[in-house]
Amino acid sequence: MLLGAVGCGDAGGLQGAGSTPTAVGPARLWPELTPASSPAFEIGEVNTEVVKGVKVPGDDIRRVDPVGVVRAEMAASPGDYDGDKAPYRDTDRGMADCGKGPEHGRCPVLRPYYRDLTGDGRDDLTLGFRLLPGKTTAVRVYTVDKHRLVQVMAWEDALSGVELAGRSLVIRSPSEVAGYEYRLQWTWDRDQRAMLLTQDEMLRTGPRKHSLHPSGAPSATPTGSPSASSPGVSPSASTG
């Protein structure tokens, strides 16, 4: 009986998982190179601009007309919108349908979203509008500073999804590599007083391609969905 009890106890004991891989530290390449002290290219990491011609009644950004904001940007760059050869000529033409607000008829201005992204306790404005006749969408973030409407983030891309997460704006875009997408995140920086590009990633969205079995027979195709998160703005964001 005692031997039997000991035998049963051994079945639940801990077992070794094998040898642990040896940790490999980072290897510094070309240590003889002199560290650069300035960037080689002008990227424009800090992108802020006062929106001219648009007032903020009572410093309340919700009282700002989103269509008026887009019109102000278009007026500042007429060569992009005005004329038959302008790259975004159909955006200009579609603005005629914006009299009743965003997303009416052919209006290229998308529904505005409001959230405190700067941490000052007041809502900020996230706005998008289509750059037609192409498939690109402009995404902008605005805040109020000293009674003025200030653009603190600007980006244009083909979009597969946009999300507000905390004090960050996340944009997902298609990649030319099948099964992958780009994920870019902007986060408010109080020192620069702008939304800075804090993450730039290329992520897998589709199923992995399995290699052939040793026998040469192909492996089974997985049935996972292309993406775990659906496109669109996070439901936690408040709309106007």
Side-chain angles (χ1 to χ4, degrees):
M1 292 292 292
L2 180 60
L3 291 176
V6 173
C8 293
D10 290 344
L14 297 177
Q15 297 180 358
S19 59
T20 302
T22 303
V24 179
R28 182 183 177 189
L29 306 186
W30 306 300
E32 68 278 5
L33 291 179
T34 302
S37 59
S38 60
F41 306 101
E42 182 75 23
I43 301 176
E45 293 93 340
V46 180
N47 190 349
T48 62
E49 181 180 354
V50 176
V51 181
K52 297 180 180 180
V54 177
K55 296 182 179 180
V56 187
D59 286 348
D60 184 358
I61 204 167
R62 286 180 174 264
R63 298 175 63 185
V64 174
D65 178 17
V67 174
V69 175
V70 176
R71 290 189 187 278
E73 177 169 336
M74 294 173 61
S77 304
D80 291 338
Y81 301 93
D82 189 13
D84 293 338
K85 296 183 179 180
Y88 309 133
R89 56 193 177 275
D90 286 352
T91 295
D92 182 46
R93 295 165 182 166
M95 293 298 290
D97 282 3
C98 295
K100 295 183 179 180
E103 297 188 334
H104 282 273
R106 296 188 306 156
C107 178
V109 182
L110 304 178
R111 183 197 333 171
Y113 285 84
Y114 301 90
R115 175 180 286 191
D116 179 11
L117 296 174
T118 61
D120 62 359
R122 300 181 301 178
D123 281 336
D124 301 297
L125 168 62
T126 301
L127 188 60
F129 59 98
R130 302 187 185 280
L131 299 174
L132 304 171
K135 298 182 179 180
T136 306
T137 301
V139 179
R140 308 286 189 257
V141 176
Y142 302 90
T143 190
V144 178
D145 184 30
K146 298 179 181 178
H147 316 297
R148 304 171 302 175
L149 186 68
V150 181
Q151 182 188 98
V152 294
M153 177 268 178
W155 190 255
E156 299 89 33
D157 208 340
L159 306 182
S160 57
V162 182
E163 300 168 356
L164 292 174
R167 292 178 183 167
S168 296
L169 174 73
V170 180
I171 293 179
R172 294 187 288 112
S173 301
S175 166
E176 66 276 10
V177 181
Y180 288 82
E181 71 175 7
Y182 294 112
R183 182 183 183 276
L184 287 75
Q185 175 175 314
W186 282 263
T187 305
W188 173 255
D189 186 281
R190 63 181 181 180
D191 294 327
Q192 299 298 326
R193 302 204 54 81
M195 302 284 287
L196 301 186
L197 181 59
T198 52
Q199 290 189 27
D200 185 351
E201 303 175 291
M202 190 176 191
L203 302 177
R204 174 178 287 278
T205 59
R208 295 182 179 275
K209 293 183 179 180
H210 291 258
S211 59
L212 297 179
H213 291 294
S215 62
S219 60
T221 302
T223 58
S225 60
S227 175
S229 57
S230 59
V233 178
S234 168
S236 62
S238 62
T239 61

